[in-house]
């Protein structure tokens, strides 16, 4: 005789009422404003003062050097030579590969002019220098860490990595998880049409990085490398603001990382962050629609 054992299914949880598209838009706007508020508070804090002192130690690089840096290390944030990092309380890790850029100096020479008189001239020289990204360094023991971002440690990616990977695949991009050296989190390669995410990240930080990189793609930031280099601070501010807003809509908080990241790239300019609001919110809604297609359907129905 055959007996059949019935397995009792657990009772379904009551479904959480879905927010309307207008409620989600209001929530996104509130999230975007909250990051500006947090940046303002950070700007007035001792922690921000310490960070500004740290950031001010870096000189501006020429466009050519920025392009050189990005071609060798697309995720680079701040670069400096070995001794410069040491003076700032950080040590470049052994085995790290240097980024090569052109330096500038002049050499004084004495030449004869057409009249046979000796004249002094300065000849420009462009030696090749080795610099390293901050992610290739560690804080020297006994020194204070003057950066203001903390990695996310959540064990849930909220379905974001697969959903955005599928979307990017449909747009002709590939997504790869790679062992990124030097603490890199991810980058977008427009030439290879590939988004790379570090396999060392927690699931939650990988999700945030996926939103960030997808925002770069959606906003056209990686269409022109020269334009990206020229306006990198603004574009990084936009992409990370999108990540912060979309994560908030999905249900997790990235402020421990995003606020410091946005503050650094925006130079704590709250008005700059607010000026980016229209593009940030539009892109956040596109991201949210990819993650929850019913949002897109509702939006189209509302527009009809």
């Amino acid at each position: 005789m055959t007996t059949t054992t019935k397995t009792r299914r657990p009772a379904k949880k009551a479904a959480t009422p879905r927010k309307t598209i207008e409620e989600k838009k209001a929530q996104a706007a509130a999230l975007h404003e909250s990051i500006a508020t947090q940046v303002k508070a950070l700007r007035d804090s001792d922690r921000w003062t310490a960070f500004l002192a740290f950031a001010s130690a870096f000189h501006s690089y020429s466009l050519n050097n920025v392009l050189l840096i990005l071609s060798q290390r697309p995720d680079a944030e701040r670069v400096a030579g070995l001794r410069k990092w040491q003076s700032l309380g950080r040590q470049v890790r052994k085995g790290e590969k240097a980024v090569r850029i052109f330096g500038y100096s002049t050499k004084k020479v004495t030449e004869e002019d057409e009249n046979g008189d000796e004249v002094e001239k300065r000849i420009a020289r462009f030696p090749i220098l080795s610099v390293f990204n901050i992610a290739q360094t560690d804080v020297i023991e006994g020194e204070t860490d003057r950066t203001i971002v903390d990695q996310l440690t959540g064990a849930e990616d909220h379905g974001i990595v697969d959903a955005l990977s599928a979307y990017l695949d449909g747009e002709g991009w590939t997504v790869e998880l790679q062992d990124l050296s030097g603490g890199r989190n991810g980058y977008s390669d427009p030439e290879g049409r590939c988004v790379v995410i570090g396999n060392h990240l927690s699931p939650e930080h990988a999700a945030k990085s996926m939103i960030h990189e997808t925002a770069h793609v959606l906003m056209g930031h990686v269409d022109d490398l020269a334009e990206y280099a020229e306006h990198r601070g603004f574009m990084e501010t936009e992409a990370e603001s999108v990540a912060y807003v979309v994560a908030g809509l999905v249900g997790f908080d990235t402020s421990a990382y995003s606020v410091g990241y946005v503050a650094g790239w925006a130079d704590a300019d709250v008005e700059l962050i607010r000026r980016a609001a229209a593009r940030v919110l539009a892109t956040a809604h596109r991201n949210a629609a990819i993650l929850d297609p019913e949002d897109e359907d509702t939006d189209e129905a509302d527009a009809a």
Side-chain angles (χ1 to χ4, degrees), residues 14-304:
T16 303
R18 288 182 59 82
K19 290 186 175 72
T20 66
I21 193 67
E22 291 305 320
E23 288 173 331
K24 288 196 172 186
K25 285 183 176 179
Q27 183 187 4
L31 283 165
H32 186 266
E33 181 58 29
S34 76
I35 201 171
T37 301
Q38 291 180 75
V39 167
K40 184 177 181 181
L42 178 64
R43 184 183 62 187
D44 298 332
S45 70
D46 292 339
R47 196 177 184 200
W48 180 248
T49 302
F51 177 77
L52 280 184
F54 177 77
S56 66
F58 299 91
H59 65 274
S60 297
Y61 290 92
S62 68
L63 177 59
N64 284 341
N65 271 340
V66 171
L67 292 173
L68 277 174
I69 292 166
L70 293 179
S71 68
Q72 296 169 75
R73 199 174 179 94
D75 67 319
E77 296 177 49
R78 292 181 176 83
V79 298
L82 179 65
R83 290 186 177 82
K84 184 66 174 181
W85 279 124
Q86 290 171 339
S87 73
L88 294 168
R90 302 186 76 90
Q91 179 63 51
V92 176
R93 287 188 289 273
K94 288 184 178 180
E96 289 289 350
K97 183 179 179 181
V99 174
R100 306 293 186 181
I101 64 172
F102 288 110
Y104 175 78
S105 64
T106 59
K107 181 181 180 180
K108 186 167 64 175
V109 297
T110 301
E111 297 179 349
E112 286 189 0
D113 64 13
E114 56 187 12
N115 298 320
D117 296 325
E118 290 189 346
V119 294
E120 287 188 350
K121 289 185 177 181
R122 287 194 172 273
I123 299 175
R125 303 168 66 189
F126 301 93
I128 296 176
L129 304 179
S130 296
V131 294
F132 299 87
N133 185 33
I134 187 173
Q136 297 173 277
T137 71
D138 295 313
V139 179
I140 296 172
E141 186 175 353
E143 295 283 349
T144 301
D145 187 358
R146 299 172 220 174
T147 57
I148 51 174
V149 294
D150 297 311
Q151 293 283 318
L152 307 180
T153 58
E156 172 63 52
D157 83 345
H158 311 278
I160 287 171
V161 173
D162 285 346
L164 293 184
S165 295
Y167 170 79
L168 289 170
D169 182 68
E171 296 296 309
W173 287 71
T174 58
V175 176
E176 296 180 5
L177 296 179
Q178 293 185 11
D179 182 10
L180 298 181
S181 61
R184 291 184 293 174
N185 293 335
Y187 62 90
S188 300
D189 172 15
E191 187 173 335
R193 292 184 70 80
C194 179
V195 167
V196 177
I197 303 295
N199 59 16
H200 66 286
L201 298 175
S202 72
E204 195 164 77
H205 204 103
K208 185 217 70 71
S209 294
M210 274 296 299
I211 302 170
H212 179 107
E213 297 305 330
T214 303
H216 277 315
V217 174
L218 291 175
M219 301 178 98
H221 290 167
V222 293
D223 292 348
D224 185 330
L225 187 59
E227 184 179 1
Y228 170 74
E230 187 175 355
H231 303 290
R232 193 177 183 205
F234 188 72
M235 291 181 178
E236 290 299 326
T237 296
E238 287 188 327
E240 190 62 22
S241 294
V242 170
Y244 175 80
V245 171
V246 174
L249 290 174
V250 171
F252 67 104
D253 183 9
T254 71
S255 58
Y257 184 90
S258 295
V259 173
Y261 189 94
V262 169
W265 283 110
D267 197 22
D269 186 343
V270 175
E271 290 310 310
L272 182 150
I273 296 168
R274 287 179 175 146
R275 285 199 302 273
R279 279 171 53 81
V280 166
L281 294 178
T283 307
H285 295 316
R286 290 181 67 188
N287 260 288
I290 294 166
L291 297 172
D292 187 355
E294 289 190 33
D295 281 354
E296 191 173 31
D297 294 341
T298 306
D299 211 7
E300 288 174 356
D302 289 346

